[in-house]
Structures are given as structure tokens and as C-alpha cells.
Amino acid sequence: MAKEKLLLLDGNSLAYRAFFALPLLANESGIHTNAVYGFTTMLQKILEEEKPTKMLVAFDAGKTTFRHDTFDEYKGGRQKTPPELSEQFPYLRKLIDAYQIKRYEKELYEADDIIGTLAKQAQSQHMDVIIVSGDKDLTQLATDQVSVYITRKGMTDIEKYTPSHIEEKYGLTPNQIIDMKGLMGDPSDNIPGVPGVGEKTAIKLLKEYGSVEALYEQIDSMKQSKMKEKLVANEEQAKMSKKLATIFTEAPIDITLEDLNYPGPNEDNVLQVWQELSFKSLIEKSDFQVEEKVTAELAFEIVRDVTPDMLKDVMAIHVELENEHYHTCQILGVGFSDGETNFYVSFEIFSNNEVIKNWLEDETKKKYMSDSKAAQAILKRLGINLRGVEFDMLLASYIVNPAISGDDIATLAREFGYGDVQANETIYGKGAKWTVPAENVLAEHVARKAFSIWSLQPVVEEKLKTNEQFDLYYDLELPLAAILGRMESEGIKVNIETLEKMGEELEQKITSLEKEIYELAGEKFNINSPKQLGVILFEKLGLPTIKKTKTGYSTAADVLERLQSEHTIVKYILDYRQLAKLKSTYIEGLIKEVHRGDSKVHTRFQQALTATGRLSSTDPNLQNIPIRLEEGRKIRQAFVPSNEDWVLFAADYSQIELRVLAHMSNDDNLVDAFKKGMDIHTRTAMDVFHVSEDEVTSNMRRAAKAVNFGIVYGISDYGLSQNLDITRKEAGEFIDKYLQSFPGVKDYMDNIVQEAKLKGYVTTLLNRRRYLPDITSRNFNLRSFAERTAMNTPIQGSAADIIKQAMINMDARLKEEGLKTKLLLQVHDELIFEAPRDEIEILERIVPEVMENAISLNVPLKVDFSYGSTWYDAK
DNA sequence: CCCATCACG
DNA sequence: ACGTACGTGATGGGT
């Protein structure tokens, strides 16, 4: 039989070590994870290297130990365990259980003593023993059979203390480690030792005398010195300290070596804990296999014919798609569940079934879904108008916590406690290996999704209600999904010929710029490569380096702008960059997205993605079409109405974020400025620079505008100094002056950070939440970032709430008025419609009215609008 | 697949 | 002392 190998881990010490060695990471729900993460990486490494047959993790139990009988200040003065660490212990225990490793703790004894006792027992049975700890005290236990591994920085780096290593390092035997500590003490455990004796002196003394006791026996023969005086004066204390430092190897533990057999991890359970804590890199790297069906059985049927009685008044339905591009992809199959019966219908049957179509279009038949907007859009392509969506798990989860990583139902379901849906990647594979599995596998997967939606609907809605977020979800996000779906399906018409013509002109300009650049550089190179460009500019041409990136020289636009006076090539590069961007992203990229059938682009608005509550837009992104520079702005000439004699009508909120700030801070000055309808940047300049309105120069206004931006972003002197190209000190002075002029804003900023620290999250006007786990971090960077986020998110998020509400009201109003006008796009603070010319007059009246009254603030909202025959002309 | 860059609010 | 402006998505280069 192979020799037994026992691995003993010091749970508390390792958790502490990991906690302080690693940055304070947190998962999406705000649980800190660094201690568990460090422990896990260490554990993985040790398991792989040592392959133990028996294992135990020992923990300290409670506050008092038998050592307190000796010295009641033992471990006194120790800082309370930080809450960010305490909250990790339950997860650590869960993880250890998942690995199927025994845990043990015993009243009055420390983990050390449990480890010492078991190590001794194991030794007497001739086992190999390895002890792992972050605490060097344990090294006193080292023998020929017992090695003590102490973690160093980063947790996976380990120093192995064997008797010979200890001899080499200190010139002492393991036993003498105790004497060393008796003499030098240990501030972390509040062990006093002999004042004035440190590691060096202790080692010297022990080499000469052997032990504390031997030292004091011979102390009379020691020649007179300051040190001798101290030793004599502290004899009792030294002996007591030694006693405190001695690990007790006879602890009365009620666990035996037989109990410690280690069967290896339950990989499924370990993965589940990793999932919960978002240890993505570990999940990816590990070769853990998810066990075949630990999942509960789910009865389901593959149905060939659907009769009306099968489709209930309330039912979960899931439309499974090939991929996320729901405007172009195919349906793979559809799952239904009412909690009792679960069934699957293939696309072929689904698409030709009048019974299902009628049910889907029946408003009174309530549907529970996840990502109903995707289903709505793809069903629309089949001529089916989806109605009666009562629950959308994707949106509900997003409202509960916008950080929940979204698109896969498996992830969402797990988040709310249902773990029996497989990840899409498991079913289909990924990348080039993607493939649709056999029908029974697909059917079960899809049926499980439907079942999980059904099962979790009450759970998630309950959570929404406790958080007072049900209205936000049900009255705002859910109806908005249907509106966004219609906007996407409607699409916006693009004139490809216009784009192609622009492309040709750009091509010519780019070619001639290329020529100039190669000429000036003296060689050909890839201008698009920041690496190659850096070499040319900063090495060959010797331009001064202003900023560096992780990988080399920065060639970003702000750097190049400062270098323009140094070399004529710089301007050419800036121009080249600008035009190359236009051509690749906005000409070629956009053309690729135009649908052949209708000459339109159909973006997808991501409604459950951003941390703040904004939408985002993909394939193509229609929220970043150029406007700031004229050359780019011309791209908008290619966006046109879908009918002859229609126009594009654009309406945007003026200064919505600063108005939101005025409302939330209720700063008298800021509120007054908006009530009087003043130009806010001019007003800010007047207050910050103490001048009258007509004394405000354009530079002062520019600076004030930057300060206002800074305030909205969560001000920092550094950020403002970068933006205005001034010193940090000057920027700091601007900020001070601003906050003096707007004291209510200062109070708001202070309070919101306090509130975030207290609650762990911030909220918007309509009670949207964002969790900020890093707000209590001791890492300056993480904490500062979280603080700025605490200031910015309520502002940005409330602005998002307002425009979303406006979209809902606008949709209703258009219907009421019986107009043909269609809402096509939302770009954060503006709405873009297409409209028949004869409806313009009405729109000019109702669009500002609806938008300005979407949500009532203590300052007015202001909307500007315009229209034209292309998006460019709606300015 | 990540990084740097740059387009928008 | 720390080293940042807030929120996004698409592209080309390079590993």
C-alpha cells in the first residue's frame, strides 16, 4: 500500500494571508472574494503537487483559548476582523466542503494546536505530513516527516520549511523556533517577549545557549551588558512568551486520522461555488468536468401537434435562437412550461401552427419569458405579433442587479437558485465547434429554460417587491422592451450609394495622406499599428514622449495634438486617423449591416447591459454616429426616412444631467440658474470666476463647461487638469470655487458617497440600483473609482429613467393622436423619429411637451428639436 | 482574445 | 503616496 500523506491547512491564517496579499476583489453581487480566491489558487497548486491521501482544514474557534489562562492579553490589541473578510468565511467553508475536505475547529484551541496534535499522531503512524499556513510559528512542528509550507506573496508562492531549511535559514532546530519567539515576542499575537530582543539577537543567543531555559540557567556567567539586564528583568515574561508560542500537541480533539481520508473534489460543487463567486479564470483553466446529470429529472415531451388545451392562460415560453443576432438568425425550437407540463416544439411545427400563433397574439394569454424583445422581433419576421408578455426574466434580473451577467438563462437561473439549466456553451459548444445537438438534447435544454423561467418568476418578482423596484420593472422596463422591439424591427433606412460615394472620396484622401506620411517618415509602415507608428515617431523622428501605455508609446490623439508643432507628419497622421476611422467603421462597417431586403439597418438595443440603466446599441451601434466634426457628420446624410416626403425629426434634452443634479442636490444656486433659463456654463463661469455675465470670456465658459462635466463624472482634480491641460493645483482651485458657489452640490456629493458606503449601493430617481462593493476598499484606486461612480450613477441613471419614461409616454401619445410618426432611435438624451411632413406641426407641439413632462423635477426640463430630409439635416 | 484607439452621450 | 475623469461599441493590430 502506498504511503499515506496527510495535508493539514491552517484555515484562518491562510484566509488572512490571502485577504491582505490580494486586492479586494468582489463578484457582481458585491461579495468580496479575494481571500477565498487566494485560498483556492493555493489549494489547487498544493493538491496538484502533493496529491495527499488525507486532508484537514483547521479553524480557530471563538475568541478565548486556553492561552488566555496564561496571559489574558494574548492576541490583545488585535484589530477586529474586517467585515470584508468575515463575510468570506461562509464561502470558504462551502468551498472546502465542495472539495470534500474535512474541516475542524475546537473550543478553546487554535488551529495551530489541532494541526500540531494531528501532525504528531500521523507521525507516530509513519505518515508523511505537510502543514500549510501563512504563519511561520507553525515551522516549530517541522521534523523529518513533517514539512511546513508557508505561503509567500500572492499565495501560490510557497516556502518549504524542513528541519534542514530551518537550519540553513536561521541556524536553529525547529524546536528552537519556539525559544526564538519567546525571546523576540510577536506583536501580532501580543506576545511580549524580551523588549529590545529581535530576531538577530534571539538567534545569536540560542546558538550560544540552546534554549530559553538553558540561557537563564547560565545567565550569571553572561558578561555584564544592557542586554543581560533586559534578559534578567524579563525572565518571567520570556518564559511565559515561550509557553504562549508553543503549539500544544495533545489537544483533546474528537476527530481521528481515519476521518480525514480525502476522496478528491466534487467537481460539480466546486464549479458551482466558483460560479457563485465569479472565479471565471479558474473555471476556464480547470479541467473539472460537470458531472452527468446531478440535475433533477425534468419530465418533458417533444410535441408534434399543439392543441388549444395545451396552451394555458399563464405560461412560460422560451424561443431558442441560433445566436444573439435575432434580426437575422433562425429559431431552433420553442419550449413551454406551466410548472406541471413541459414541452418542446420544433421550429418547423411551431412556424406552421395557427393555434400557437393565435395564443401568442392573444393579449389575455400571459407569457413568462426571458428577453421577450428578441422573441418579439424574430416572431415579427414570421408575421406574428407577440402580445401579453407578463414577465421577462432578463429585465427583472437586470433591475435586481444590473451587474448580473446577462444573456444566458442558465446564468440568470443559477443566480436565483435554480441550477439545472445547462449553459448554452455546454449544449452547443463554442466558436467553430458550435453545432446543434440531437433533438432530444435540444428539446430538454429548451424545456428546462422554460421551466426555470416559470419556477423563478415568483422568486424574482418577490425580490423586486422587497427592493421596491417592481414598478420600475413592470411599468417602465417591461413596456419599454416592446417599444424598443418595434423600433428595431422598423429599422432606419440607409442610402448605400451615398455611403459608397463618400467612401470613394475618403479613399482618395487617405491614399494621398499615406503618401505624405511615408515620405516624411522616409519609409513605408502600417500607420494603423500604434506599435509601428510609435517606433517611427519616437525613435526614428525623435519626438518627445509625453505618455506611455502598458505596451509602449502612446500615440493617442491628445498626445499627437501636443506634438503637432514638433513635426509636420503629426498633423497628417491625425487626419489619416480621422478619415481611416470614418471609412472602416462608418462607411464599410455600416454598409455591412444594411439589410438587403429593405435597405435598412436594424440595430439591437441592449436593455439589460449597462451599469447605469442606459441602453446600448449594437450591430450597428447607432448611438455613436459622428457629429462633432463636419467630415464625420456628413455620414448622417446617408440616414434617410423610409418613405418619400417624410422627414427625420430629432428632439434632445438640453443639459439633462445637470438638471437632474440640480434636482437631486436641490442646490439653490443651480436650481435658480435653471429656473431662470440661463446658459448653465456661462452661469457657472460667472460664479467660479466672480464676474458678471458680459465679462465671461469664451475661455472662461470653456473651463466652466469642463468643470460641469467633471462634476457629473465625479470630480477629480487630475481628471479636470487633463481635460483642460492645466496643472492639478489650478484644477483643484476651480473645483473648490465651484463647490463654494454650489454648496448644495458639495453636500449631495458627500452624502451620496456616505450613503453608498452605508447601503452598498446607490439609486436613481426611479429606484434603479447599482451595487458598489469597492466603496469600502482599502485600495485607493478601487475606492476612488467607486466613489466617483457613486456620484455619477444616480445622475446618469436618472437621466436614463427620464428618457425611458418619455419613450413610453411618447409611444402612447402617438397612438392617441393616431399619427403615422414612428420612433426609430434613442441616443441617451435624444429621440429620433421619422414622420410624414404633415405631422411635423403636431410633433413640434407634442414631442417637447411629452419629453419635458416625462418626470417632474424641481427644475424645468428643456427639449430642443429639429427635422430634415436626412439625419444630417435634422440639426 | 486583449489592447489601443476613437466614435458617441 | 496612491494614479483617475462617467457610460458605451467597433475596428485593426498583435500575441
Side-chain angles (χ1 to χ4, degrees), chain A residues 395-646:
Chain A
L395 296 179
S397 310
Y398 174 67
I399 293 306
V400 168
N401 183 352
I404 296 174
S405 54
D407 39 13
D408 196 342
I409 291 182
T411 317
L412 299 180
R414 181 154 298 179
E415 190 73 28
F416 292 97
Y418 183 79
D420 289 349
V421 184
Q422 304 268 18
N424 280 336
E425 201 180 305
T426 316
I427 299 292
Y428 302 107
K430 66 169 168 180
K433 280 191 271 182
W434 189 92
T435 171
V436 180
E439 190 180 41
N440 60 329
V441 176
L442 175 66
E444 173 162 0
H445 182 55
V446 177
R448 275 182 187 280
K449 285 187 177 181
F451 177 73
S452 75
I453 293 167
W454 176 271
S455 312
L456 292 175
Q457 180 270 341
V459 180
V460 185
E461 288 201 349
E462 187 53 40
K463 182 81 185 161
L464 286 166
K465 283 174 183 158
T466 11
N467 288 358
E468 297 186 309
Q469 293 183 298
F470 188 78
D471 293 350
L472 168 65
Y473 151 75
Y474 192 79
D475 296 333
L476 194 87
E477 298 294 351
L478 197 56
L480 182 67
I483 295 171
L484 291 171
R486 289 204 296 275
M487 291 161 64
E488 294 175 9
S489 296
E490 186 61 42
I492 181 165
K493 190 154 180 188
V494 171
N495 190 332
I496 292 193
E497 290 81 51
T498 308
L499 288 179
E500 281 170 344
K501 226 170 116 191
M502 288 177 183
E504 282 159 26
E505 284 166 21
L506 282 171
E507 176 66 36
Q508 288 192 2
K509 289 184 185 163
I510 288 169
T511 314
S512 87
L513 282 167
E514 263 171 5
K515 258 192 183 164
E516 295 284 355
I517 290 167
Y518 297 151
E519 190 103 343
L520 287 162
E523 63 181 288
K524 278 198 171 185
F525 66 100
N526 188 339
I527 310 169
N528 287 321
S529 161
K531 197 177 168 189
Q532 295 181 35
L533 181 59
V535 171
I536 296 286
L537 291 181
F538 303 110
E539 289 175 17
K540 189 164 181 189
L541 300 178
L543 296 178
T545 57
I546 293 177
K547 203 166 72 177
K548 282 193 171 173
T549 66
K550 279 181 240 171
T551 47
Y553 308 107
S554 170
T555 67
D558 62 324
V559 172
L560 296 188
E561 268 157 31
R562 290 180 214 190
L563 290 173
Q564 277 196 78
S565 55
E566 302 276 339
H567 200 293
T568 44
I569 195 173
V570 177
K571 177 67 178 146
Y572 287 114
I573 290 165
L574 282 166
D575 289 347
Y576 172 90
R577 280 252 180 92
Q578 191 201 334
L579 301 185
K581 175 88 178 181
L582 288 177
K583 185 154 181 280
S584 68
T585 305
Y586 297 103
I587 303 287
E588 287 158 1
L590 201 53
I591 288 173
K592 282 188 205 130
E593 294 291 342
V594 177
H595 287 221
R596 295 294 151 213
D598 59 6
S599 291
K600 288 176 170 184
V601 285
H602 300 267
T603 189
R604 296 191 323 276
F605 288 108
Q606 307 297 323
Q607 198 186 348
L609 185 147
T610 71
T612 55
R614 276 189 176 182
L615 303 175
S616 86
S617 157
T618 55
D619 302 312
N621 179 355
L622 294 181
Q623 293 182 319
N624 72 346
I625 302 300
I627 189 166
R628 292 172 190 171
L629 300 172
E630 179 57 25
E631 297 94 313
R633 190 173 200 158
K634 291 211 160 66
I635 298 285
R636 294 178 174 228
Q637 291 170 339
F639 290 85
V640 295
S642 60
N643 292 306
E644 284 290 311
D645 212 36
W646 281 39

Side-chain angles (χ1 to χ4, degrees), chain A residues 641-711:
Chain A
S642 60
N643 292 306
E644 284 290 311
D645 212 36
W646 281 39
V647 293
L648 291 176
F649 187 100
D652 69 293
Y653 283 108
S654 157
Q655 304 297 351
I656 189 167
E657 292 191 336
L658 285 172
R659 286 172 201 265
V660 166
L661 175 62
H663 173 83
M664 304 221 291
S665 68
N666 208 11
D667 178 275
D668 292 339
N669 198 12
L670 198 54
V671 168
D672 180 70
F674 280 122
K675 281 191 175 161
K676 287 185 176 143
M678 297 180 73
D679 175 312
I680 194 62
H681 301 318
T682 304
R683 171 65 178 257
T684 306
M686 289 161 61
D687 289 333
V688 170
F689 297 109
H690 301 295
V691 294
S692 67
E693 187 162 0
D694 45 1
E695 288 168 331
V696 174
T697 65
S698 64
N699 251 339
M700 288 157 92
R701 188 177 180 282
R702 193 178 66 89
K705 186 174 174 180
V707 173
N708 278 329
F709 267 97
I711 292 294

Side-chain angles (χ1 to χ4, degrees), chain A residues 277-317:
Chain A
L277 297 174
S278 316
F279 291 171
K280 299 201 178 91
S281 61
L282 283 175
I283 294 167
E284 270 167 38
K285 267 191 291 179
S286 87
D287 43 12
F288 283 9
Q289 296 296 316
V290 176
E291 275 179 37
E292 291 285 311
K293 287 284 156 289
V294 205
T295 47
E297 286 283 321
L298 183 81
F300 72 96
E301 214 182 320
I302 298 174
V303 167
R304 302 285 167 207
D305 187 31
V306 178
T307 51
D309 60 298
M310 295 167 70
L311 298 172
K312 309 290 164 53
D313 290 348
V314 185
M315 196 164 207
I317 167 174

Side-chain angles (χ1 to χ4, degrees), chain A residues 812-836:
Chain A
R813 186 66 179 271
L814 289 175
K815 230 169 262 170
E816 268 171 41
E817 306 265 353
L819 299 177
K820 296 201 192 75
T821 298
K822 288 180 189 117
L823 178 57
L824 299 184
L825 299 175
Q826 186 249 49
V827 191
H828 310 308
D829 65 354
E830 66 176 326
L831 298 178
I832 292 117
F833 306 83
E834 61 175 11

